């Protein structure tokens, strides 16, 4: 009998495996893919944003629902940085507080982590795909054919429903639901918006919009985003993605550092014979991308400075909703909080714990996602180790 089985070899699963091994358990990690942590590695291709150097109270406000916050508080941004440094990673903090390995890659950290797990005696079994339950056993498809496991404790770290080609395909949902585990439907999180652009927008594809404010039902935020062929994407959009997904309207303030009266005054001072693009450039220093958005969503453009200024300060964004779940950076939904004990043990399946993006929580990009995966993996692994000692 396997003593402790972790299913899923991403950051949450590896953290759970390490905690179990440090407690003296004999640990097996079953990973469906040929290699570990594919989503972690993919995230690292654009610079591995591990966490965010931010005071813990402010850091925790980015997590919803708030049931997950105490777990993240146990292993917050300072602890994540210490953990990465313990794996030989030299870190730096960017101007926005985002923390990265200086090498800007995930692979060196993953190699060091794998070596440490091997030293702790953790056995990694790749190409072991969990395919559900068979009686009281866990059924796997393996390179050697079907296999059943009856571990003393199990930690599930199978990911959510975004980026299925990297392993997070949510195939586990019906198996756990059939066992009585409550699961909230998955929805896209940290996703872009679909926009059916007019032809005149094509020259702006790939252009970043900086220095604009995004206005939703709950307030204003500042953040950069990009005009892409299929819509809008980037950190500024991702930060408000949950609101937009739930139906909040979105508008843009293209001149957020000027109040309405100042925008009006500057437009009124421009000669009437000056073309509109030149008036916008000279009076407000708008770049071509912002002027293109104004033309896209503001036509017919008002003739008076007062009405044009109002458009510039609150330009409605016409979009066709979120990008699909399979294209989202992360997912909302998953195992409901009420289906879990505080230890992250499943109420319906004693001695089975869950962690990472399987759980029903969400947070914006910027280091928050990885921190919670580390934290929930650690929490579940420690709780599984305690349960093991009692069985």
């Amino acid at each position: 009998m396997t003593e402790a089985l972790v299913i899923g070899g991403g950051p949450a699963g590896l953290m759970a495996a390490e905690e179990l091994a440090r407690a003296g358990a004999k640990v097996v990690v079953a990973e469906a893919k040929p290699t570990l942590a594919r989503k972690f590695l993919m995230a690292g291709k654009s610079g591995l944003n591990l966490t965010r150097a931010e005071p813990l109270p402010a850091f925790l406000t980015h997590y919803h629902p708030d049931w997950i916050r105490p777990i993240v508080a146990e292993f917050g941004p300072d602890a994540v940085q210490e953990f990465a440094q313990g794996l030989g990673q030299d870190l730096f903090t960017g101007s926005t507080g985002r923390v990265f390995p200086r090498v800007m890659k995930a692979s060196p950290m993953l190699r060091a982590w794998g070596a440490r797990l091997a030293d702790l005696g953790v056995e990694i079994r790749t190409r072991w795909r969990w395919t559900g339950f068979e009686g009281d056993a866990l059924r796997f498809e393996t390179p050697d054919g079907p296999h059943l496991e009856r571990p003393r404790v199990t930690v599930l770290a199978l990911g959510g429903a975004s980026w299925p080609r990297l392993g997070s395909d949510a195939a586990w949902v019906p198996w756990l639901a059939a066992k009585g585990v409550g699961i909230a439907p998955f929805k896209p999180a940290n996703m872009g918006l679909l926009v059916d652009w007019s032809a005149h927008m094509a020259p702006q594809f790939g252009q970043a919009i900086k220095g604009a404010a995004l206005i939703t039902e709950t307030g204003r935020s500042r953040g950069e985003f990009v005009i892409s062929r299929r819509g809008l994407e980037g950190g500024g959009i991702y930060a408000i993605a949950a609101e937009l997904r739930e139906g909040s309207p979105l508008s843009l303030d293209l001149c957020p550092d000027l109040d309405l009266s100042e925008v009006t005054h500057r437009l009124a001072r421009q000669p009437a014979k000056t073309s509109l693009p030149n008036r916008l450039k000279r009076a407000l220093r708008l770049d071509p991308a912002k002027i293109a958005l104004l033309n896209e969503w503001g036509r017919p453009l008002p003739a008076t400075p007062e009405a044009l200024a109002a458009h510039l300060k609150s330009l409605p964004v016409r979009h066709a909703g979120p990008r699909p779940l399979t294209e989202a950076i992360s997912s909302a939904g998953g195992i409901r909080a009420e289906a879990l004990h505080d230890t992250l043990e499943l109420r319906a399946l004693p001695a089975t714990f869950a962690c990472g993006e399987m759980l029903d929580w969400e947070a914006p990009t910027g280091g928050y996602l990885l921190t919670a995966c580390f934290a929930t993996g650690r929490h579940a692994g420690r709780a599984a180790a305690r349960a093991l000692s009692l069985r």
Side-chain angles (χ1 to χ4, degrees), residues 90-156:
D90 184 19
L91 307 179
F92 76 94
T93 302
S95 59
T96 61
R98 298 185 183 204
V99 179
F100 301 87
R102 197 162 292 280
V103 294
M104 293 294 284
K105 294 179 182 178
S107 51
M109 181 174 170
L110 184 60
R111 284 195 298 271
W113 201 358
R116 186 157 79 186
L117 291 172
D119 289 343
L120 289 168
V122 175
E123 180 185 351
I124 307 292
R125 299 176 182 172
T126 56
R127 295 187 173 89
W128 271 55
R129 179 176 296 279
W130 184 39
T131 57
F133 296 94
E134 188 165 316
D136 64 346
L138 296 156
R139 184 178 63 248
F140 290 85
E141 288 297 331
T142 79
D144 299 319
H147 182 87
L148 299 180
E149 282 282 342
R150 294 179 176 84
R152 292 176 61 195
V153 295
T154 303
V155 177
L156 302 176

Coordinates of all heavy atoms in Angstrom, one line a residue, residues 90-156:
D90 N 18.0 33.6 -7.0 CA 18.3 35.0 -6.7 C 17.1 35.8 -7.3 O 16.8 35.7 -8.4 CB 19.6 35.4 -7.4 CG 20.0 36.9 -7.1 OD1 19.5 37.4 -6.1 OD2 20.8 37.5 -7.8
L91 N 16.4 36.6 -6.4 CA 15.2 37.2 -6.7 C 15.4 38.7 -6.9 O 16.3 39.3 -6.4 CB 14.1 37.0 -5.7 CG 13.9 35.5 -5.3 CD1 12.8 35.4 -4.2 CD2 13.4 34.7 -6.5
F92 N 14.5 39.3 -7.6 CA 14.4 40.8 -7.7 C 13.0 41.2 -7.7 O 12.1 40.5 -8.1 CB 15.2 41.4 -8.9 CG 14.5 41.2 -10.2 CD1 13.7 42.3 -10.7 CD2 14.6 40.1 -10.9 CE1 13.0 42.1 -11.9 CE2 13.9 39.9 -12.2 CZ 13.2 41.0 -12.6
T93 N 12.7 42.5 -7.3 CA 11.4 43.0 -7.2 C 11.3 44.2 -8.2 O 12.1 45.1 -8.1 CB 11.1 43.5 -5.8 OG1 11.2 42.4 -4.8 CG2 9.6 44.1 -5.7
G94 N 10.3 44.1 -9.1 CA 10.1 45.1 -10.1 C 9.4 46.3 -9.5 O 9.0 46.4 -8.3
S95 N 9.2 47.3 -10.3 CA 8.7 48.6 -9.9 C 7.3 48.5 -9.3 O 6.8 49.3 -8.5 CB 8.7 49.6 -11.0 OG 8.0 49.2 -12.1
T96 N 6.5 47.5 -9.8 CA 5.1 47.3 -9.3 C 5.0 46.4 -8.1 O 3.9 46.0 -7.7 CB 4.3 46.8 -10.5 OG1 4.8 45.5 -10.9 CG2 4.2 47.7 -11.7
G97 N 6.2 45.9 -7.6 CA 6.2 45.0 -6.5 C 6.2 43.5 -6.9 O 6.2 42.7 -6.0
R98 N 6.2 43.2 -8.2 CA 6.2 41.8 -8.6 C 7.6 41.2 -8.4 O 8.6 41.9 -8.7 CB 5.8 41.7 -10.0 CG 4.4 42.2 -10.3 CD 4.0 41.9 -11.8 NE 2.6 42.4 -12.0 CZ 1.8 42.0 -13.0 NH1 2.3 41.0 -13.8 NH2 0.6 42.5 -13.2
V99 N 7.6 40.0 -7.9 CA 8.9 39.3 -7.5 C 9.2 38.2 -8.5 O 8.3 37.4 -8.8 CB 8.8 38.8 -6.1 CG1 10.1 38.0 -5.7 CG2 8.5 39.9 -5.1
F100 N 10.4 38.3 -9.1 CA 10.8 37.3 -10.1 C 12.1 36.7 -9.7 O 13.0 37.4 -9.1 CB 11.0 38.0 -11.5 CG 9.8 38.7 -12.0 CD1 9.5 40.0 -11.6 CD2 8.9 38.1 -12.9 CE1 8.4 40.7 -12.2 CE2 7.8 38.7 -13.4 CZ 7.5 40.0 -13.0
P101 N 12.4 35.5 -10.2 CA 13.8 35.0 -10.2 C 14.6 35.9 -11.2 O 14.1 36.3 -12.2 CB 13.7 33.6 -10.7 CG 12.3 33.2 -10.6 CD 11.5 34.5 -10.7
R102 N 15.8 36.1 -10.8 CA 16.7 37.0 -11.6 C 16.9 36.3 -13.0 O 17.1 37.1 -14.0 CB 18.0 37.3 -11.0 CG 18.7 38.5 -11.6 CD 19.8 39.0 -10.7 NE 19.2 39.6 -9.5 CZ 18.7 40.9 -9.5 NH1 18.7 41.6 -10.6 NH2 18.2 41.4 -8.3
V103 N 16.9 35.0 -13.1 CA 17.0 34.4 -14.4 C 15.8 34.5 -15.2 O 15.8 34.1 -16.4 CB 17.4 32.9 -14.2 CG1 18.8 32.8 -13.6 CG2 16.4 32.1 -13.4
M104 N 14.6 34.9 -14.6 CA 13.4 35.1 -15.4 C 12.9 33.8 -16.0 O 12.2 33.8 -17.0 CB 13.5 36.2 -16.4 CG 13.7 37.6 -15.8 SD 12.3 38.2 -14.9 CE 11.2 38.6 -16.2
K105 N 13.2 32.6 -15.4 CA 12.7 31.4 -15.9 C 12.2 30.5 -14.8 O 12.7 30.7 -13.6 CB 13.9 30.6 -16.7 CG 14.3 31.3 -17.9 CD 15.5 30.5 -18.5 CE 16.0 31.2 -19.8 NZ 17.1 30.5 -20.4
A106 N 11.4 29.5 -15.1 CA 10.9 28.6 -14.1 C 11.7 27.3 -14.0 O 11.8 26.7 -13.0 CB 9.5 28.2 -14.4
S107 N 12.4 27.0 -15.1 CA 13.1 25.7 -15.2 C 14.2 25.5 -14.1 O 14.3 24.4 -13.5 CB 13.6 25.4 -16.6 OG 14.4 26.5 -17.0
P108 N 15.1 26.5 -13.8 CA 16.1 26.3 -12.8 C 15.5 26.0 -11.4 O 16.0 25.1 -10.7 CB 16.9 27.6 -12.8 CG 16.7 28.2 -14.2 CD 15.3 27.8 -14.5
M109 N 14.4 26.7 -11.1 CA 13.8 26.5 -9.8 C 13.1 25.1 -9.7 O 13.2 24.4 -8.7 CB 12.7 27.6 -9.6 CG 12.0 27.4 -8.2 SD 10.9 28.8 -7.9 CE 10.0 28.2 -6.5
L110 N 12.5 24.7 -10.8 CA 11.9 23.4 -10.9 C 12.9 22.3 -10.8 O 12.7 21.3 -10.1 CB 11.0 23.2 -12.1 CG 10.2 21.9 -12.2 CD1 9.2 21.8 -11.1 CD2 9.5 21.9 -13.6
R111 N 14.0 22.4 -11.4 CA 15.1 21.4 -11.3 C 15.6 21.3 -9.9 O 15.8 20.2 -9.4 CB 16.3 21.7 -12.3 CG 16.0 21.4 -13.7 CD 17.2 21.4 -14.6 NE 17.9 22.7 -14.6 CZ 17.6 23.7 -15.4 NH1 16.8 23.5 -16.4 NH2 18.3 24.9 -15.4
A112 N 15.8 22.4 -9.3 CA 16.3 22.4 -7.9 C 15.3 21.8 -7.0 O 15.6 21.0 -6.0 CB 16.7 23.8 -7.4
W113 N 14.0 22.1 -7.2 CA 13.0 21.5 -6.4 C 12.9 20.0 -6.6 O 12.7 19.3 -5.6 CB 11.7 22.2 -6.7 CG 10.6 22.1 -5.7 CD1 10.6 21.5 -4.5 CD2 9.3 22.7 -5.8 NE1 9.4 21.6 -3.8 CE2 8.6 22.4 -4.6 CE3 8.6 23.4 -6.7 CZ2 7.3 22.8 -4.3 CZ3 7.3 23.9 -6.5 CH2 6.7 23.5 -5.3
G114 N 13.0 19.6 -7.8 CA 12.9 18.1 -8.1 C 14.1 17.4 -7.4 O 13.9 16.3 -6.8
A115 N 15.2 18.0 -7.4 CA 16.4 17.4 -6.7 C 16.2 17.3 -5.2 O 16.5 16.3 -4.6 CB 17.7 18.2 -7.0
R116 N 15.6 18.3 -4.6 CA 15.3 18.3 -3.2 C 14.3 17.3 -2.9 O 14.4 16.5 -1.9 CB 14.9 19.7 -2.7 CG 14.7 19.8 -1.2 CD 14.8 21.2 -0.7 NE 13.5 21.9 -0.9 CZ 13.4 23.2 -0.7 NH1 14.5 23.9 -0.3 NH2 12.3 23.8 -0.8
L117 N 13.2 17.1 -3.7 CA 12.2 16.1 -3.4 C 12.9 14.7 -3.5 O 12.5 13.8 -2.7 CB 11.1 16.3 -4.4 CG 10.2 17.5 -4.2 CD1 9.2 17.6 -5.4 CD2 9.5 17.5 -2.9
A118 N 13.7 14.5 -4.5 CA 14.4 13.2 -4.6 C 15.2 12.9 -3.4 O 15.2 11.8 -2.9 CB 15.3 13.2 -5.9
D119 N 15.9 13.9 -2.9 CA 16.7 13.7 -1.6 C 15.8 13.4 -0.4 O 16.3 12.7 0.5 CB 17.5 15.0 -1.3 CG 18.6 15.3 -2.3 OD1 19.0 14.3 -3.0 OD2 19.1 16.4 -2.3
L120 N 14.6 13.9 -0.5 CA 13.6 13.5 0.6 C 13.0 12.2 0.4 O 12.1 11.8 1.2 CB 12.6 14.6 0.7 CG 13.0 16.0 1.2 CD1 12.0 17.1 1.0 CD2 13.3 15.9 2.7
G121 N 13.3 11.5 -0.7 CA 12.7 10.2 -1.0 C 11.4 10.2 -1.7 O 10.7 9.1 -1.8
V122 N 11.0 11.3 -2.3 CA 9.7 11.4 -3.0 C 9.9 10.7 -4.3 O 10.8 10.9 -5.1 CB 9.3 12.8 -3.2 CG1 8.0 12.9 -4.1 CG2 9.0 13.5 -1.9
E123 N 9.0 9.8 -4.7 CA 9.0 9.0 -5.9 C 8.1 9.7 -6.9 O 6.9 10.0 -6.6 CB 8.5 7.6 -5.7 CG 8.5 6.8 -7.0 CD 8.0 5.4 -6.8 OE1 7.7 5.0 -5.7 OE2 7.7 4.7 -7.9
I124 N 8.6 10.1 -8.1 CA 7.8 10.7 -9.1 C 7.4 9.7 -10.2 O 8.3 9.1 -10.8 CB 8.6 11.9 -9.8 CG1 9.1 12.9 -8.7 CG2 7.7 12.6 -10.8 CD1 8.0 13.7 -8.0
R125 N 6.1 9.6 -10.5 CA 5.7 8.6 -11.5 C 5.0 9.5 -12.6 O 3.9 10.0 -12.4 CB 4.7 7.6 -11.0 CG 5.3 6.7 -9.9 CD 4.3 5.8 -9.3 NE 4.8 4.9 -8.3 CZ 4.1 4.1 -7.5 NH1 2.7 4.0 -7.8 NH2 4.6 3.4 -6.6
T126 N 5.7 9.7 -13.7 CA 5.1 10.4 -14.8 C 4.3 9.5 -15.7 O 4.4 8.3 -15.7 CB 6.1 11.2 -15.6 OG1 7.1 10.2 -16.1 CG2 6.8 12.2 -14.8
R127 N 3.4 10.1 -16.5 CA 2.5 9.4 -17.4 C 1.6 8.4 -16.6 O 1.1 7.4 -17.1 CB 3.2 8.6 -18.5 CG 4.0 9.4 -19.5 CD 4.6 8.6 -20.6 NE 5.2 9.4 -21.6 CZ 6.5 9.8 -21.6 NH1 7.3 9.5 -20.6 NH2 7.0 10.5 -22.6
W128 N 1.3 8.8 -15.4 CA 0.3 8.1 -14.6 C -0.9 9.0 -14.5 O -1.0 10.0 -13.8 CB 0.8 7.9 -13.2 CG 1.6 6.6 -13.0 CD1 2.6 6.2 -13.7 CD2 1.3 5.6 -12.0 NE1 3.1 5.0 -13.3 CE2 2.3 4.6 -12.2 CE3 0.4 5.5 -11.0 CZ2 2.3 3.4 -11.5 CZ3 0.4 4.3 -10.2 CH2 1.3 3.3 -10.5
R129 N -1.9 8.7 -15.3 CA -3.2 9.5 -15.4 C -4.3 8.9 -14.6 O -4.7 7.7 -14.8 CB -3.6 9.5 -16.9 CG -4.9 10.4 -17.1 CD -5.3 10.5 -18.5 NE -4.3 11.2 -19.2 CZ -4.2 12.6 -19.3 NH1 -5.1 13.3 -18.6 NH2 -3.3 13.2 -19.9
W130 N -4.8 9.7 -13.6 CA -5.9 9.2 -12.8 C -7.1 9.2 -13.7 O -7.4 10.2 -14.4 CB -6.1 10.2 -11.6 CG -7.1 9.8 -10.7 CD1 -7.4 8.5 -10.3 CD2 -8.1 10.6 -10.0 NE1 -8.5 8.5 -9.4 CE2 -8.9 9.8 -9.2 CE3 -8.3 12.0 -10.0 CZ2 -9.9 10.3 -8.4 CZ3 -9.3 12.5 -9.2 CH2 -10.1 11.6 -8.4
T131 N -7.9 8.1 -13.6 CA -9.1 7.9 -14.4 C -10.3 7.7 -13.6 O -11.3 7.2 -14.1 CB -8.9 6.8 -15.4 OG1 -8.6 5.6 -14.8 CG2 -7.8 7.2 -16.4
G132 N -10.3 8.0 -12.3 CA -11.4 7.8 -11.4 C -11.3 6.8 -10.4 O -10.2 6.4 -10.0
F133 N -12.4 6.3 -9.9 CA -12.5 5.4 -8.8 C -12.9 4.0 -9.3 O -13.7 3.9 -10.2 CB -13.4 5.8 -7.7 CG -13.1 7.1 -7.0 CD1 -13.6 8.3 -7.5 CD2 -12.2 7.1 -6.0 CE1 -13.2 9.5 -6.9 CE2 -11.8 8.3 -5.3 CZ -12.4 9.5 -5.8
E134 N -12.4 3.0 -8.6 CA -12.9 1.6 -8.8 C -13.1 1.0 -7.5 O -12.1 0.6 -6.8 CB -11.9 0.8 -9.6 CG -12.4 -0.6 -10.1 CD -11.6 -1.2 -11.1 OE1 -11.2 -0.5 -12.1 OE2 -11.3 -2.4 -11.0
G135 N -14.3 1.0 -7.0 CA -14.6 0.6 -5.6 C -14.0 1.6 -4.7 O -14.2 2.8 -4.8
D136 N -13.1 1.1 -3.8 CA -12.4 2.0 -2.8 C -11.0 2.4 -3.3 O -10.3 3.0 -2.5 CB -12.4 1.3 -1.4 CG -11.5 0.1 -1.4 OD1 -11.2 -0.5 -2.5 OD2 -11.2 -0.4 -0.4
A137 N -10.7 2.0 -4.5 CA -9.4 2.3 -5.1 C -9.4 3.4 -6.1 O -10.4 3.8 -6.7 CB -8.8 1.0 -5.7
L138 N -8.2 4.0 -6.3 CA -8.0 5.0 -7.3 C -7.4 4.3 -8.5 O -6.4 3.6 -8.4 CB -7.0 6.1 -6.8 CG -7.5 6.9 -5.6 CD1 -6.3 7.5 -4.8 CD2 -8.4 8.0 -6.1
R139 N -8.0 4.6 -9.7 CA -7.7 3.9 -10.9 C -6.8 4.8 -11.7 O -7.1 5.9 -12.0 CB -8.9 3.5 -11.7 CG -8.6 2.6 -12.9 CD -9.9 2.2 -13.6 NE -10.7 3.4 -14.1 CZ -11.8 3.8 -13.6 NH1 -12.4 3.1 -12.6 NH2 -12.4 4.9 -14.1
F140 N -5.7 4.2 -12.3 CA -4.7 4.9 -13.1 C -4.5 4.2 -14.4 O -4.5 3.0 -14.4 CB -3.4 5.1 -12.4 CG -3.4 6.1 -11.2 CD1 -3.8 5.6 -10.0 CD2 -3.1 7.4 -11.4 CE1 -3.9 6.5 -8.9 CE2 -3.1 8.3 -10.3 CZ -3.5 7.8 -9.1
E141 N -4.3 5.0 -15.5 CA -3.7 4.5 -16.7 C -2.2 4.8 -16.7 O -1.8 6.0 -16.5 CB -4.4 5.1 -17.9 CG -5.8 4.6 -18.2 CD -5.9 3.1 -18.5 OE1 -4.9 2.6 -19.0 OE2 -6.9 2.5 -18.2
T142 N -1.4 3.8 -16.8 CA 0.1 4.0 -16.7 C 0.8 3.4 -17.9 O 0.1 2.7 -18.7 CB 0.6 3.3 -15.4 OG1 0.7 1.9 -15.7 CG2 -0.3 3.5 -14.2
P143 N 2.0 3.7 -18.1 CA 2.8 3.1 -19.2 C 2.7 1.5 -19.2 O 2.9 0.9 -20.2 CB 4.2 3.6 -19.1 CG 4.0 4.9 -18.3 CD 2.9 4.7 -17.4
D144 N 2.5 1.0 -18.0 CA 2.4 -0.5 -17.9 C 1.0 -1.0 -17.9 O 0.8 -2.2 -17.5 CB 3.2 -0.9 -16.6 CG 4.7 -0.5 -16.7 OD1 5.3 -0.7 -17.8 OD2 5.2 -0.1 -15.7
G145 N 0.0 -0.2 -18.2 CA -1.3 -0.6 -18.2 C -2.1 -0.1 -17.0 O -1.6 0.7 -16.2
P146 N -3.4 -0.5 -16.8 CA -4.2 0.0 -15.7 C -3.6 -0.4 -14.4 O -2.9 -1.5 -14.2 CB -5.5 -0.8 -15.9 CG -5.5 -1.1 -17.4 CD -4.1 -1.4 -17.7
H147 N -3.8 0.4 -13.4 CA -3.2 0.2 -12.0 C -4.2 0.8 -11.0 O -4.7 1.8 -11.2 CB -1.8 0.8 -11.9 CG -1.1 0.6 -10.6 ND1 -0.4 -0.5 -10.4 CD2 -1.1 1.3 -9.5 CE1 0.1 -0.5 -9.2 NE2 -0.4 0.7 -8.6
L148 N -4.3 0.1 -9.9 CA -5.1 0.6 -8.8 C -4.3 0.9 -7.6 O -3.3 0.2 -7.3 CB -6.1 -0.5 -8.3 CG -7.2 -1.0 -9.4 CD1 -8.1 -2.0 -8.8 CD2 -8.0 0.2 -9.9
E149 N -4.6 2.0 -6.9 CA -3.9 2.4 -5.7 C -4.9 2.6 -4.6 O -6.0 3.1 -4.8 CB -3.2 3.8 -6.0 CG -1.9 3.6 -6.8 CD -0.7 3.2 -5.9 OE1 -0.8 3.2 -4.7 OE2 0.3 2.7 -6.5
R150 N -4.5 2.2 -3.4 CA -5.2 2.4 -2.2 C -4.3 3.0 -1.1 O -3.9 2.4 -0.1 CB -5.8 1.1 -1.6 CG -6.8 0.4 -2.6 CD -7.4 -0.9 -2.0 NE -8.4 -1.4 -2.9 CZ -8.2 -2.2 -4.0 NH1 -6.9 -2.4 -4.4 NH2 -9.2 -2.7 -4.7
P151 N -4.0 4.3 -1.3 CA -3.1 5.0 -0.4 C -3.7 5.2 1.0 O -5.0 5.3 1.1 CB -2.8 6.3 -1.1 CG -4.0 6.6 -1.9 CD -4.5 5.2 -2.4
R152 N -2.9 5.4 2.0 CA -3.5 5.7 3.3 C -4.0 7.1 3.4 O -5.0 7.4 4.0 CB -2.4 5.5 4.4 CG -2.0 4.0 4.6 CD -0.9 3.9 5.6 NE -1.2 4.4 6.9 CZ -0.4 4.6 7.8 NH1 0.9 4.4 7.6 NH2 -0.8 5.1 9.0
V153 N -3.3 8.1 2.7 CA -3.8 9.4 2.5 C -3.5 9.8 1.1 O -2.5 9.4 0.4 CB -3.1 10.5 3.5 CG1 -3.5 10.2 4.9 CG2 -1.6 10.6 3.3
T154 N -4.4 10.7 0.6 CA -4.3 11.2 -0.8 C -4.4 12.7 -0.8 O -5.2 13.3 -0.1 CB -5.4 10.6 -1.7 OG1 -5.4 9.2 -1.6 CG2 -5.3 11.1 -3.1
V155 N -3.6 13.4 -1.6 CA -3.7 14.8 -1.9 C -4.0 15.0 -3.4 O -3.2 14.5 -4.2 CB -2.5 15.6 -1.5 CG1 -2.7 17.1 -1.8 CG2 -2.2 15.4 0.0
L156 N -5.1 15.6 -3.7 CA -5.4 15.9 -5.1 C -5.0 17.3 -5.4 O -5.3 18.3 -4.8 CB -7.0 15.8 -5.3 CG -7.6 14.5 -4.9 CD1 -9.1 14.6 -5.1 CD2 -7.0 13.3 -5.8

